[in-house]
Amino acid sequence: MLKAADILDSETEKWAKLLTSEMGKTYKSAIAEVEKCALVCRHYADHAENIMQDEIIETEASKSYVKHLPIGVVLAVMPWNFPFWQVFRFAAPALMAGNVGLLKHASNVPGSALAIEEIFNRAGFEKGCFQTLLIGSEKVEAILKDDRVRAATLTGSEPAGRSVAATCGSEIKTTVLELGGSDAFIVMPSADMELAIDKAVTGRTMNNGQSCIAAKRFIIHADIYNEFRDKMVARFENLKVGDPMDDDTDIGPLAVKQIRDELDEQVTASIKAGAALLCGGNIPQGKGYFYTPTVLDDIPENAPAFSEELFGPVASLYKVESLEDAIKLANATRFGLGSAIMTQDEKEMEIAFRDLDAGSTFVNSNVASDPRLPFGGVKSSGYGRELSSDGLLEFVNRKTISIN
Ligand code: NAP
């Protein structure tokens, strides 16, 4: 695993170029993604042995404990938005636990899928320990039904998650699902306004707006709403959209035409339903699947922007009179991945921790994944956890031993 980290670190630029050319993320963000993959490999190389240790539990037996054993072959069905990171955050703990990984990657990133297999092979893993299957999604069911496959993890959309979970349910096989999100970003009057704007802009536009944990719904207290809205719009109008290989580009193209067209349809339908368009809202002329950074407000409940995930650089703003209303609105979605609150008030923080129905709450920061912290959602955002010790323990047999 440490050798895999070395290969990532010593050839960062080569892998980053592959990511940018396959799905359009900015080159600088691709570099950061590859570096984070090396980090997660090192994290589990350092910590897996400790996590896998026997867990002694005192009983009347002369010795009793939980022994951690690998579960076997795990199928990972992965998305294109972070083509390396999504896979490494599964593979590093799963392989360190002694499992075998099969990868069915998204169909538009086959180069990344093969590159990851190459990295593990070159690092010295036994042939077959990590295998890429270049297959379409219609082949997944048969693989899940194969007796040799013991579990599955899927990161992607709700329909894909439902399908894999249904098959695994009928086969009594473990699943971890990391699905979509429509994360709330609450800003209260005590917040540092400049910090809030900075985090809001980077949160909504990172990865060209195609991140599950991006802040997508900005829920702003009425006392500071106008200031926040005007500053957000000004920043969005100044974002540079263009060639993802250029250093000063903020937003590259969306990954495929369908994503761009679906986003445009959601924005158009939201405006038709009564939402106000504050900037953007169009497809720029010329080559590439670009979308102009967009801000919407006055969004009615029947607008797609209210209830659906917008997978691109579109921010939805909401004005509320109290923290209670902010939390109610934040929870008024079938998703529950991450959530963020900008405030200096500790009482407000405690209320947010208790009442926001999501897999995480970040204060004065964007939601971010970290190898040391568990990551995952509730409700339609999925179940199970990745990263930290939780992520590794999802795919082990926690076997009870009792010596009498
Ligand atoms: P997607 O269409 O669901 O694809 C994800 C993966 O699932 C791909 O490998 C895809 O294969 C496969 N797939 C699609 N339908 C399937 C089915 N019925 N059975 C088995 N496999 C199937 O999602 P996406 O458009 O690539 O990714 C965007 C979505 O992922 C967003 O909703 C985003 O929020 C979510 N996401 C969540 C997280 C998280 O950690 N929670 C992270 C990143 C992204 P093909 O490409 O061959 O169709």
Side-chain angles (χ1 to χ4, degrees), residues 77-82 86 89 104-108 135-137 140 154-160 163-164 178-181 211-212 216 259 309 311 337 375 381 386:
V77 182
M78 290 288 143
W80 47 264
N81 61 342
F82 293 92
Q86 305 289 4
R89 80 175 179 187
K104 181 269 176 277
H105 216 328
S107 299
N108 57 326
I135 53 168
S137 54
V140 169
L154 179 137
T155 302
S157 62
E158 268 180 276
S163 168
V164 164
E178 299 285 3
L179 308 179
S211 169
C212 52
K216 294 186 179 119
I259 296 272
E309 179 182 30
F311 222 51
L337 193 53
F375 181 94
S381 291
E386 292 197 281

Side-chain angles (χ1 to χ4, degrees), residues 182-185 215-219 305-306 316 318 329-333:
S182 188
D183 286 6
F185 182 100
K216 294 186 179 119
R217 296 176 301 134
F218 298 86
I219 301 174
F306 190 92
S316 304
Y318 297 87
L329 189 56
N331 291 341
T333 164

